[in-house]
Amino acid sequence: MRPIVVPDFQVSRRGFLGLVASAPAFAWQDAPTFSTGVNVVNVFVGVRNKQGEIVRDLTKDDFTLDEDGRAQTIKYFSQQSDLPLTLGLLVDTSGSQRRLIDQERNASREFLWQVVREKKDSAFIIHFDFDVELLQDLTSSHKDLDRALDDITSPVPTMRRRQGGGGYPGGGGYPPQGRGQQGGTALYDAVLLASDDMMRKQEGRKALILLSDGVDQGSKVTLNHAIESAQRADTLVYSIRFADSGAYSGPVRIDSPFPGGIGRGRGGMGRGPSTIPIGPSGGNRDGRKVLERLAKETGGSYFDVSDKMPLDRVYARIEEELRSQYNLGYTSDGSGTQYRKIRVAVKTKALTVQARDGYYPAP
């Protein structure tokens, strides 16, 4: 196994070998990209009306955009659903998802067949439970993606030890004391590794599809750190909450992985504590707020699977959004490398805009 370094710790990641060495780099069509010394910013924007329908007939003059409260001039504008797309499918295979795996696999297969255009788009597949494993590197082959989906299974919940017993504060095996009720769920680690190791070197439209109940148990990094990694990789996160209501028999708590340990990531987001308390009465124990934050702060969407909104319908809506985005580009007048807030609006008040709320400028 080859170790992947996460800040302050070294984590073994089965399958993460040569992650981006052979990954194809897609060039933008009719749109600028980030480059050293050029403060060009691209923002993908989705617009819906009051009925929730996609609006496809807007022009550049219909939009306004500001950065850190300063109005910016939109210099580049397009609506090209034909742009190459890089997708990452992150599937929660922890014990809490055991009874949902078959539904996740079948719906994901249909989604990837519909969205990934062979020889044009590219996708990778990761599953996570007590560990994070790359099942399929970037590919446009439906056959390869199918084989990876067949490998998605939920592990038998055991008190499994890592090789050498390393990685965790104080040594010892997995899981850390007081964690791992369902065998571990390294959700935040999965988002960080997918963003840093897979997405950051890719160009064009990029999106992670995260399928989970949102309850993290055992990650090395915080939620803030995971969000920041996606923002730095210019990657949208589409969060799908698919929860088994009978999976947890006791109170669960989501918080910073180890008190006094890693903290809030590289410089932090200044958004306050990353702790989301989960009480015995229910509350947020299903991870809803975690998944909502991941989507909102990266410019993606949050979905809740239910009888009225089954998983295949959620996937259909994500496909529609990915193929119906406006691309707005501007030259930033900002300076420094700190996080910059973006606000995109349309002049028609009856419309709702979906876009990322900021970015980290290229160094």
Side-chain angles (χ1 to χ4, degrees):
M1 288 188 291
R2 176 180 173 183
I4 297 294
V5 178
V6 177
D8 295 336
F9 301 106
Q10 202 173 51
V11 186
S12 294
R13 293 298 186 223
R14 294 176 294 137
F16 272 81
L17 301 176
L19 293 184
V20 295
S22 59
F26 294 118
W28 284 92
Q29 300 172 3
D30 302 326
T33 59
F34 283 109
S35 60
T36 303
V38 179
N39 294 322
V40 176
V41 184
N42 294 288
V43 186
F44 288 106
V45 180
V47 182
R48 292 183 180 271
N49 60 24
K50 284 185 176 180
Q51 290 71 45
E53 301 166 332
I54 294 285
V55 178
R56 297 182 172 89
D57 59 353
L58 299 179
T59 68
K60 180 175 70 172
D61 294 335
D62 292 313
F63 291 89
T64 62
L65 189 153
D66 65 58
E67 178 183 293
D68 289 337
R70 302 183 307 275
Q72 304 291 315
T73 301
I74 300 172
K75 295 184 177 181
Y76 311 95
F77 180 88
S78 66
Q79 187 191 23
Q80 296 187 19
S81 60
D82 200 41
L83 284 175
L85 175 66
T86 304
L87 278 179
L89 178 64
L90 278 57
V91 182
D92 183 345
T93 53
S94 64
S96 64
Q97 301 295 98
R98 185 172 295 108
R99 293 184 289 191
L100 307 176
I101 293 294
D102 287 343
Q103 296 178 60
E104 294 175 346
R105 184 188 300 110
N106 295 336
S108 297
R109 193 187 311 276
E110 181 69 21
F111 172 72
L112 291 175
W113 270 80
Q114 291 289 334
V115 174
V116 177
R117 298 163 295 180
E118 290 194 298
K119 298 183 179 180
K120 186 159 191 175
D121 301 321
S122 186
F124 62 89
I125 298 176
I126 285 174
H127 83 101
F128 59 94
D129 35 64
F130 48 78
D131 209 345
V132 179
E133 183 178 4
L134 178 71
L135 296 176
Q136 175 58 56
D137 207 336
L138 280 164
T139 182
S140 63
S141 167
H142 290 170
K143 189 175 296 185
D144 290 344
L145 292 170
D146 275 353
R147 278 197 292 264
L149 287 170
D150 289 338
D151 289 338
I152 292 179
T153 57
S154 186
V156 176
T158 61
M159 297 297 283
R160 167 177 165 172
R161 295 180 64 88
R162 293 180 182 271
Q163 286 187 339
Y168 291 96
Y174 185 89
Q177 185 177 4
R179 304 184 72 85
Q181 294 180 15
Q182 299 294 332
T185 312
L187 189 159
Y188 306 157
D189 287 354
V191 173
L192 180 138
L193 290 169
S195 300
D196 281 3
D197 292 348
M198 301 299 292
M199 288 298 199
R200 201 159 184 175
K201 293 186 179 181
Q202 304 306 309
E203 299 291 345
R205 297 187 305 145
K206 299 178 285 186
L208 295 178
I209 312 298
L210 175 59
L211 193 56
S212 174
D213 60 11
V215 177
D216 183 286
Q217 298 184 80
S219 278
K220 299 291 184 299
V221 300
T222 63
L223 173 58
N224 281 2
H225 199 167
I227 291 171
E228 181 181 329
S229 68
Q231 291 171 332
R232 288 186 181 276
D234 301 320
T235 299
L236 310 178
V237 178
Y238 287 84
S239 300
I240 305 173
R241 177 181 168 271
F242 196 17
D244 180 354
S245 59
Y248 294 96
S249 57
V252 179
R253 181 181 179 85
I254 303 175
D255 56 50
S256 179
F258 301 106
I262 297 175
R264 299 178 191 169
R266 294 163 286 189
M269 290 293 297
R271 300 180 188 276
S274 61
T275 299
I276 299 178
I278 311 300
S281 62
N284 299 317
R285 68 184 302 167
D286 56 13
R288 183 193 305 269
K289 286 191 175 181
V290 167
L291 297 178
E292 287 177 338
R293 274 196 62 192
L294 278 163
K296 180 178 183 299
E297 295 181 24
T298 62
S301 293
Y302 166 79
F303 298 92
D304 207 332
V305 176
S306 64
D307 291 339
K308 293 183 178 180
M309 180 66 77
L311 185 55
D312 57 352
R313 187 175 169 189
V314 169
Y315 272 142
R317 180 151 173 158
I318 293 175
E319 179 185 2
E320 181 185 38
E321 288 192 10
L322 289 172
R323 298 297 182 203
S324 308
Q325 294 172 318
Y326 297 94
N327 185 11
L328 280 57
Y330 69 98
T331 303
S332 172
D333 62 2
S335 61
T337 59
Q338 72 278 9
Y339 187 79
R340 301 176 187 174
K341 293 283 291 182
I342 295 174
R343 187 180 70 89
V344 180
V346 289
K347 296 173 182 177
T348 303
K349 294 183 179 180
L351 302 180
T352 300
V353 173
Q354 174 188 321
R356 56 176 171 162
D357 69 355
Y359 73 100
Y360 287 92

